[in-house]
Amino acid sequence: MNKFMRMMVFFDLPVKTKRQRRVATRFRNFLLKDGYFMVQYSVYCRVCNGLDAVEKHKQRLNENKPENGCVRLLVLTEKQFERMDIIIGNYVKYEEDTPSELSVF
């Protein structure tokens, strides 16, 4: 009996130049076409039916990895994935809301 597994891919890719953005978009599109779904920005996940499928998709990931940046893979059992806690808080845009100069009144 095969055990369902989850492959979680975490990545940080450079996006400063037009070429880098194109490479990052190509990688994200590969993940979507290969059955991954976005969990968060730069975190994608897919379900695999057993370790053979995990190895197949790990190989596909290596074949399509970008030349620069960091890509990490974490393989979890379905039971481990189900134990993930989702903690939601208020989203604050500190970069835009924080003034660059201190105002004193």
Side-chain angles (χ1 to χ4, degrees):
M1 180 177 132
N2 279 339
K3 189 181 223 183
F4 286 106
M5 308 291 286
R6 295 276 182 146
M7 293 179 67
M8 296 195 67
V9 175
F10 310 84
F11 59 91
D12 288 316
L13 302 178
V15 291
K16 290 184 179 178
T17 67
K18 189 173 184 177
R19 183 181 183 286
Q20 289 172 335
R21 287 189 296 277
R22 193 171 36 247
V23 168
T25 298
R26 189 178 311 130
F27 183 67
R28 283 191 299 274
N29 287 338
F30 157 74
L31 292 173
L32 293 171
K33 288 178 189 171
D34 203 44
Y36 291 82
F37 61 91
M38 188 171 77
V39 177
Q40 287 182 207
Y41 293 120
S42 301
V43 179
Y44 285 69
C45 182
R46 72 162 285 128
V47 177
C48 290
N49 190 3
L51 289 175
D52 290 340
V54 167
E55 288 304 316
K56 177 182 92 171
H57 287 285
K58 189 187 295 188
Q59 182 178 353
R60 290 177 51 79
L61 195 58
N62 272 307
E63 291 168 358
N64 289 278
K65 69 180 181 246
E67 59 194 33
N68 294 312
C70 178
V71 178
R72 296 174 191 261
L73 171 65
L74 176 65
V75 179
L76 303 164
T77 64
E78 190 65 20
K79 192 170 202 166
Q80 290 169 324
F81 183 80
E82 289 172 357
R83 292 188 61 211
M84 182 187 323
D85 289 329
I86 300 173
I87 302 168
I88 300 173
N90 294 329
Y91 178 72
V92 179
K93 292 187 207 176
Y94 290 105
E95 294 82 20
E96 293 178 15
D97 295 341
T98 305
S100 58
E101 297 177 11
L102 180 62
S103 300
V104 180
F105 295 98

